[in-house]
Amino acid sequence: MSEDQPVFVQLRRKDPSVQWGFRMNGGRDQGSILYIQKLSRNGVGDRSGLRPGDGILKINNVPATYLDHEQAKMEIIRSGNELDFVVQRDAIDVGQHRGAQTKPAPKQRSEVDEEPSMYKGYTNPSVQSRSFKILQQSLNYSEAPQESD
């Protein structure tokens, strides 16, 4: 396969508490394409074939060309445990050594660094599936008082 052809990369994890293991920079709001800045050694991204400098063309079949950094982060979060990228190899030269860059770092920078969170989010009881309601009741988990029939 030629290095100038886009590459499809599938990232899969069994548990959402496992980090994807990459740092993404760029975005329309930063005047740069979205790209992989660095990878965690033996992380999901590394094992799946991502490389530092990969330019992100699509996130889960959504074209990334016009995405702001925050929009791209939200696409990644929405992906759950199955994240697909279409990348262009070596789109950005991020350097091979720690701290080495061909361009000075931008003054304002946004990065994707996943951190475990205890936030459960708001759940709208009228939108939950019946099986989820049963599971919720069996775990005795409730954010609001349950209505009785």
Side-chain angles (χ1 to χ4, degrees):
M1 180 182 295
S2 172
E3 287 290 317
D4 60 341
Q5 295 295 316
V7 177
F8 182 73
V9 181
Q10 290 184 316
L11 286 77
R12 300 292 184 260
R13 62 184 180 187
K14 294 181 180 183
D15 184 356
S17 67
V18 174
Q19 296 185 9
W20 289 116
F22 65 86
R23 179 174 291 161
M24 176 181 71
N25 280 349
R28 185 182 63 161
D29 56 325
Q30 297 180 16
S32 169
I33 65 166
L34 289 161
Y35 66 96
I36 302 301
Q37 173 66 35
K38 72 179 202 178
L39 295 162
S40 299
R41 187 182 313 265
N42 295 319
V44 176
D46 186 31
R47 290 191 315 265
S48 299
L50 281 178
R51 299 180 192 167
D54 282 353
I56 301 170
L57 303 176
K58 289 185 180 181
I59 303 171
N60 294 329
N61 218 18
V62 174
T65 310
Y66 301 107
L67 293 179
D68 290 342
H69 190 84
E70 287 299 314
Q71 291 170 322
K73 283 172 47 175
M74 292 312 296
E75 284 299 324
I76 292 168
I77 290 168
R78 276 193 289 270
S79 70
N81 292 330
E82 297 182 357
L83 176 58
D84 296 331
F85 283 125
V86 174
V87 299
Q88 181 67 50
R89 296 290 190 205
D90 302 318
I92 300 284
D93 184 5
V94 295
Q96 296 301 315
H97 303 289
R98 185 177 178 154
Q101 293 183 338
T102 57
K103 301 178 200 169
K107 290 180 183 178
Q108 191 174 24
R109 196 172 94 175
S110 180
E111 303 170 347
V112 173
D113 277 327
E114 293 180 278
E115 296 178 9
S117 173
M118 297 303 292
Y119 177 67
K120 302 282 189 219
Y122 172 74
T123 55
N124 185 342
S126 63
V127 180
Q128 295 173 344
S129 68
R130 183 171 184 261
S131 59
F132 185 80
K133 287 179 185 179
I134 293 169
L135 177 61
Q136 186 177 32
Q137 289 171 350
S138 71
L139 295 174
N140 294 326
Y141 175 78
S142 175
E143 290 184 12
Q146 295 283 331
E147 291 182 25
S148 57
D149 293 330

